[in-house]
């Protein structure tokens, strides 16, 4: 965790700002807001990202995901007073900001509204944007929480309005903190209350070198990512996670019926993100190479295990599922994606197309059996050459023997 020094915020005392480095392309934000007497009045820790669709100068539409907030400031965050409620104000990037407002009733307080502003004039984030300027999206929430309770929502929450999709997860927040001490009483969001589905752990063994295998193969799920009204990524696969933590190995089948998909598509990269009640995120990142092929470049995961611990791994130097652009990659047999020594993914009935999806359908597939055929060809050629060489040698020795026999007769 990287913490920055305390600095004054007008009308609210001091702010301690901490950025906790999270998984690739993701930051956890943490804010401890204190009053003039240096007592905590508001505490918040959360993760968020934003997906924005915008029009380009050539009248097409692009979608970008804003998740790496860079240097963050909290100017304008206040504890609140008789006239104004508490407020979290976040500034990041060139002209991006986020505000959460809180209100108070007799026995409850509310997360009243959220406002997100983004700058389409930022050419790095919004290349070739037709309209330049600051655009704002306001969302009314009115989430009521008992006074002196800490609000928790680990599940993914999504807000969608106009061309903006907001994602929030791992949220902890308490406004109107009593006596400067953050409460230990937690009030869960509805998704966390109803998220009772736990991953099925089929086998547990003490050795990290042993990989337990469930008897049943996982059910295949179909996932997609949209760019505006068009589907830009398709994936069908059964997923089985092999996890080793603290010398305990587990195998978990992902249930597609309780798994949700989001993501983004760009010209040379595409992201498929899966999440559920136990999986905070499972990211598959695809990339283009040599301008004519795609492959799986990166996998990131963060999830809750049955013992309550969090398992997180990231690897951005992979090379799996290679196929030509304009086609899909297919492999019906079991394959293993080795992310790290502690984490592997077994895939079943796999088909994926992260680029150039037309009319929401898969293009012609390159089958993984072709890789096996390519591997067998040099073996067959080598065996044939070895056979020819053996025949030549046999003919030579037979001829040599006959030659010596002729000399002895003479």
């Amino acid at each position: 965790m990287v913490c920055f020094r305390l600095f004054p915020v007008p009308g609210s005392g001091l702010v301690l700002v901490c950025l906790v480095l999270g998984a690739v392309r993701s930051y956890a934000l943490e804010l401890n807001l204190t009053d003039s007497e240096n007592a905590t009045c508001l505490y918040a820790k959360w993760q968020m990202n934003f997906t924005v669709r915008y029009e380009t100068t050539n009248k097409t539409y692009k979608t970008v995901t804003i998740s790496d907030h860079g240097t963050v400031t909290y100017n304008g965050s206040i504890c609140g007073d008789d006239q104004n409620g508490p407020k979290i104000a976040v500034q990041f990037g060139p002209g991006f900001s986020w505000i959460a407002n809180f209100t108070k009733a007799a026995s409850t307080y509310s997360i009243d509204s959220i406002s997100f502003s983004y700058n389409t004039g930022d050419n790095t984030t919004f290349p070739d944007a037709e309209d330049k300027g600051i655009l704002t999206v306001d969302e009314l929430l009115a989430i009521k929480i008992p006074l002196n309770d800490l609000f928790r929502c680990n599940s993914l929450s999504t807000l969608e309005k106009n061309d903006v999709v907001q994602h929030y997860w791992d949220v902890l927040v308490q406004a109107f903190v009593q006596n400067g001490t953050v409460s230990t009483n937690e009030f869960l969001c509805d998704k966390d209350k109803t998220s009772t589905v736990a991953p099925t752990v089929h086998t547990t063994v003490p050795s990290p070198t042993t990989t337990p295998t469930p008897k049943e193969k996982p059910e295949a799920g179909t996932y997609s990512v949209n760019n505006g009204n068009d589907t830009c990524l398709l994936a069908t696969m059964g997923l089985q996670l092999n996890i080793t933590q603290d010398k305990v190995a587990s195998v978990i089948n992902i249930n597609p019926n309780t798994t949700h998909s989001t993501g983004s598509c760009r010209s040379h990269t595409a992201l498929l993100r899966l999440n559920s009640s136990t999986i905070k995120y499972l990211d598959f990142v695809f990339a283009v190479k040599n301008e004519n092929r795609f492959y799986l470049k990166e996998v990131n995961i963060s999830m809750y295990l049955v013992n309550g611990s969090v398992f997180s791994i990231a690897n951005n130097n992979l090379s799996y599922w290679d196929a030509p652009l304009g086609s899909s990659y297919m492999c019906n047999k079991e394959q293993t994606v080795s992310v790290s020594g502690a984490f592997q993914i077994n895939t079943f009935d796999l088909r994926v197309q992260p680029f150039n999806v037309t009319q929401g359908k898969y293009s012609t597939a390159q089958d993984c059996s072709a890789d096996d055929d390519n591997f067998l060809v040099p073996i067959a050629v080598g065996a044939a050459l070895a056979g020819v060489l053996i025949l030549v040698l046999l003919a030579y020795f037979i001829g040599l023997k006959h030659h010596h026999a002729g000399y002895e007769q003479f």
Side-chain angles (χ1 to χ4, degrees):
M1 182 171 66
V2 181
C3 294
F4 298 90
R5 65 181 178 85
L6 292 169
F7 61 89
V9 175
S12 63
L14 301 175
V15 177
L16 174 64
V17 177
C18 298
L19 291 181
V20 181
L21 297 183
V24 178
R25 296 187 178 87
S26 180
Y27 287 91
L29 304 176
E30 185 170 12
L31 170 66
N32 188 51
L33 192 62
T34 59
D35 58 22
S36 57
E37 297 179 355
N38 204 31
T40 298
C41 62
L42 187 152
Y43 175 79
K45 183 178 181 180
W46 74 106
Q47 295 199 61
M48 63 181 180
N49 65 29
F50 311 92
T51 300
V52 180
R53 179 175 180 261
Y54 68 99
E55 186 178 8
T56 65
T57 52
N58 60 3
K59 303 304 179 183
T60 61
Y61 286 88
K62 290 184 177 180
T63 300
V64 298
T65 298
I66 304 163
S67 53
D68 186 348
H69 309 306
T71 302
V72 176
T73 58
Y74 293 80
N75 299 325
S77 299
I78 59 173
C79 293
D81 51 33
D82 294 337
Q83 285 76 38
N84 301 293
K87 177 171 67 175
I88 300 174
V90 181
Q91 301 83 38
F92 57 95
F96 297 86
S97 62
W98 181 87
I99 294 174
N101 292 294
F102 302 83
T103 56
K104 181 180 178 182
S107 59
T108 62
Y109 68 94
S110 298
I111 306 173
D112 194 54
S113 63
I114 285 177
S115 175
F116 169 59
S117 298
Y118 57 99
N119 180 18
T120 56
D122 174 23
N123 293 325
T124 301
T125 308
F126 298 97
D128 306 319
E130 172 69 16
D131 298 320
K132 307 287 188 180
I134 305 292
L135 301 176
T136 301
V137 176
D138 296 312
E139 293 278 2
L140 297 177
L141 299 180
I143 300 173
K144 292 185 178 181
I145 306 152
L147 275 176
N148 204 32
D149 273 14
L150 177 69
F151 176 73
R152 175 187 288 275
C153 194
N154 292 325
S155 301
L156 181 71
S157 299
T158 301
L159 302 175
E160 187 169 356
K161 188 175 183 179
N162 299 333
D163 292 321
V164 178
V165 180
Q166 306 178 51
H167 299 291
Y168 301 93
W169 68 99
D170 289 350
V171 176
L172 283 173
V173 64
Q174 183 181 355
F176 304 99
V177 174
Q178 305 294 305
N179 303 318
T181 303
V182 177
S183 177
T184 57
N185 296 323
E186 293 186 351
F187 181 82
L188 301 181
C189 66
D190 291 339
K191 282 190 175 181
D192 281 11
K193 291 177 182 177
T194 58
S195 295
T196 57
V197 178
T200 303
V201 179
H202 301 275
T203 310
T204 301
V205 295
S207 171
T209 60
T210 303
T211 304
T213 304
K215 294 180 180 179
E216 70 276 14
K217 83 174 190 179
E219 179 184 350
T222 299
Y223 311 100
S224 63
V225 176
N226 291 335
N227 187 354
N229 295 324
D230 299 323
T231 300
C232 59
L233 183 153
L234 286 171
T236 303
M237 50 190 169
L239 296 173
Q240 189 178 86
L241 311 182
N242 293 272
I243 295 173
T244 302
Q245 188 175 54
D246 298 330
K247 297 184 179 181
V248 176
S250 304
V251 175
I252 301 167
N253 282 353
I254 289 184
N255 181 357
N257 299 315
T258 58
T259 302
H260 308 284
S261 63
T262 58
S264 61
C265 300
R266 298 187 181 183
S267 59
H268 285 75
T269 59
L271 165 68
L272 172 64
R273 167 169 286 186
L274 305 181
N275 63 81
S276 66
S277 60
T278 54
I279 299 174
K280 299 200 295 187
Y281 56 83
L282 172 56
D283 290 348
F284 297 89
V285 181
F286 300 87
V288 173
K289 65 178 180 181
N290 302 327
E291 300 298 329
N292 61 359
R293 300 188 71 86
F294 70 83
Y295 68 106
L296 177 65
K297 182 181 186 297
E298 182 177 334
V299 170
N300 311 309
I301 188 171
S302 183
M303 68 176 295
Y304 299 101
L305 301 182
V306 289
N307 61 5
S309 64
V310 176
F311 177 83
S312 299
I313 288 288
N315 188 339
N316 62 358
N317 192 30
L318 302 175
S319 184
Y320 292 95
W321 306 349
D322 188 303
L325 278 177
S327 67
S328 58
Y329 178 86
M330 182 172 69
C331 195
N332 290 324
K333 67 181 182 180
E334 179 180 353
Q335 278 192 317
T336 299
V337 175
S338 182
V339 182
S340 73
F343 179 51
Q344 299 83 38
I345 303 175
N346 295 335
T347 63
F348 302 81
D349 302 321
L350 169 70
R351 190 169 186 181
V352 63
Q353 185 170 346
F355 301 98
N356 301 343
V357 175
T358 303
Q359 297 181 346
K361 298 179 180 180
Y362 286 109
S363 301
T364 303
Q366 173 167 309
D367 199 300
C368 61
S369 59
D371 298 334
D372 298 336
D373 294 341
N374 291 336
F375 177 73
L376 291 174
V377 166
I379 295 177
V381 171
L385 290 175
V388 171
L389 180 60
I390 291 171
L391 290 175
V392 170
L393 289 174
L394 286 173
Y396 171 76
F397 285 117
I398 291 171
L400 186 63
K401 182 177 179 180
H402 288 170
H403 180 69
H404 281 291
Y407 275 114
E408 290 172 1
Q409 290 174 2
F410 180 77

